[in-house]
Amino acid sequence: MILDAARPDSIEKAAQIIKQGGVVGMPTETVYGLACDALNENAVRKVFEIKGRDTRDPLIVHVASSKDVTSIAEIDDPVTFKILSERFWPGPLTLVLRKKSIISNVVTANRATVAVRIPSHPTARALLRKTGPLAAPSANRFQGLSPTTAKAVRDELGDKVPIILDAGPCTVGVESTILLLHGGVKLLRPGGIPVEELEEILGRKIEMVAVAKFEKDIQAPGMMSFHYAPKKPLHVFRPHALRVHIDLDPSSVKDWALLCFSKEEALPFHDAGFKETVVLSAKGNLEEASRKFFTSLRRLDQGPCKKIAALLLPDQGLGRALNDRLQKAQHG
Ligand code: TXA
Ligand code: MG
């Protein structure tokens, strides 16, 4: 059931379900999460089951305050932690820290670390204040598109979720940036906080850990390919490669949709014969593109096209996060 988060009793109802070991669809500024009591192993197992998620893929724990962070994790690098947490929390940054034993191995998929974030969304914060730490992956089926509206959560998970708190579309639209702060500082997933901003405040470059697969030594399973994917085949192109493809086989794109960043980028393909063209931000604004990213992919997935061609965005700021999602979505 979708409940308007602004109604006075909605958050209390959601909190009751969580306290009884249930799950709830929760808006955050990045994407909607499927939240449960992070300290209740059975509830956490339910989240894996509902999503159809591989149990080797650990969950992010959301907390209300820095004090709550220290109740679930050890801070090995307090200087870096202080700089980052003061600047970016609450907000779309997840820090991977050494876990305390209060956090079950089910949450962390047997890792020595736990991923923690303080979300800025008022509904998530109000819920967290009533419940304590919430484990919450994005509220989609495993490897599907992340939901950025309550309706998208329902489309993904149906009535397996008793309550979805509806607070409208997410304002960031792409998942949090994940930074490993254990045995060095490394980027595990580009996301809602641009890496450049992290590098600027830390005064150094941050290494991105290479794409990995489950079977190999994997630091963030979200790094595996074929993740965040629509059901339809999706191919990623640079503009030049798409032009070459169209010139070689002009009729091939008549059943395809084109997803691109700005009007300017769409212009050269105006007469190419795509069934449909979606521009993420007419004027080429990365925040707007990010906000519209998952809803656009979801709409194309439900629409008449047979295949999606996506042009890579500028590889900077939020564009890096969106390109990462596009590359992982590529299949078919
Ligand atoms: O913005 C977000 O982060 C959203 C909202 C709901 O907060 N959550 C989200 O969760 O994107 P999920 O489960 O879809 O993605 C979390 C990623 C996964 O790729 C997981 O592998 C990684 O975080 N992760 C979780 N715990 C980790 C750990 N201890 N070490 C490394 N990676 C971890
Ligand atoms: Mg996810």
Side-chain angles (χ1 to χ4, degrees):
M1 183 179 36
I2 292 182
L3 268 193
D4 182 353
R7 280 186 33 189
D9 54 346
S10 297
I11 290 175
E12 183 53 37
K13 273 190 186 148
Q16 285 309 324
I17 293 181
I18 301 258
K19 283 177 193 159
Q20 289 156 14
V23 300
V24 161
M26 168 179 79
T28 83
E29 67 279 22
T30 57
V31 301
Y32 275 70
L34 181 62
C36 75
D37 180 353
L39 307 182
N40 179 335
E41 256 185 26
N42 285 333
V44 174
R45 284 203 179 88
K46 240 182 244 171
V47 164
F48 279 96
E49 199 181 297
I50 291 173
K51 271 184 67 99
R53 182 178 177 115
D54 193 306
T55 54
R56 293 168 300 176
D57 192 356
L59 306 183
I60 295 176
V61 177
H62 300 68
V63 294
S65 70
S66 294
K67 193 165 72 45
D68 295 341
V69 176
T70 48
S71 72
I72 61 172
E74 300 287 354
I75 318 289
D76 293 328
D77 180 350
V79 176
T80 310
F81 177 81
K82 187 167 188 299
I83 294 172
L84 294 175
S85 58
E86 283 181 359
R87 170 73 180 78
F88 297 108
W89 276 349
L93 176 68
T94 295
L95 296 176
V96 176
L97 306 166
R98 187 149 54 91
K99 104 177 175 67
K100 284 191 173 167
S101 59
I102 186 173
I103 293 292
S104 146
N105 284 326
V106 181
V107 174
T108 65
N110 293 312
R111 277 150 214 272
T113 53
V114 59
V116 189
R117 140 168 144 81
I118 304 183
S120 63
H121 196 291
T123 304
R125 297 180 64 69
L127 186 61
L128 281 164
R129 279 194 295 269
K130 284 183 188 280
T131 59
L134 292 173
S138 53
N140 51 276
R141 270 166 293 152
F142 190 46
Q143 295 186 332
L145 294 169
S146 293
T148 52
T149 61
K151 183 177 172 299
V153 177
R154 200 183 51 196
D155 290 352
E156 283 287 324
L157 303 172
D159 43 14
K160 289 181 196 155
V161 189
I163 282 186
I164 303 163
L165 290 173
D166 184 356
C170 300
T171 52
V172 176
V174 66
E175 302 88 343
S176 61
T177 300
I178 306 183
L179 205 62
L180 180 66
L181 264 201
H182 175 70
V185 180
K186 284 183 190 135
L187 179 69
L188 300 182
R189 177 176 76 182
I193 300 285
V195 184
E196 293 91 331
E197 286 187 28
L198 301 174
E199 290 179 334
E200 195 189 333
I201 200 160
L202 293 181
R204 61 185 136 126
K205 282 270 163 208
I206 297 171
E207 184 196 346
M208 162 101 195
V209 182
V211 173
K213 296 235 184 255
F214 264 144
E215 336 43 277
K216 305 231 176 85
D217 178 34
I218 181 163
Q219 303 211 43
M223 290 161 50
M224 68 186 164
S225 50
F226 191 50
H227 205 95
Y228 315 102
K231 294 183 192 81
K232 285 180 187 159
L234 181 142
H235 282 203
V236 179
F237 292 92
R238 291 192 190 280
H240 176 69
L242 183 57
R243 174 52 57 199
V244 170
H245 177 93
I246 294 167
D247 289 347
L248 286 173
D249 188 0
S251 69
S252 64
V253 303
K254 71 177 191 321
D255 292 325
W256 295 19
L258 175 63
L259 179 78
C260 59
F261 176 43
S262 63
K263 254 192 178 150
E264 197 185 329
E265 300 229 305
L267 208 59
F269 299 100
H270 182 62
D271 293 325
F274 282 98
K275 195 170 198 72
E276 181 178 4
T277 297
V278 172
V279 171
L280 289 171
S281 165
K283 292 192 178 145
N285 173 290
L286 282 168
E287 278 81 29
E288 185 187 8
S290 170
R291 249 187 334 267
K292 292 193 183 154
F293 182 75
F294 279 118
T295 22
S296 302
L297 279 175
R298 191 172 287 279
R299 192 161 60 72
L300 290 177
D301 212 16
Q302 290 162 354
C305 71
K306 293 214 171 87
K307 194 164 175 165
I308 302 164
L311 285 179
L312 283 171
L313 289 91
D315 213 26
Q316 63 191 45
L318 292 172
R320 272 180 80 174
L322 301 183
N323 285 342
D324 168 80
R325 306 305 187 269
L326 283 177
Q327 272 150 347
K328 283 168 190 157
Q330 181 153 235
H331 72 107

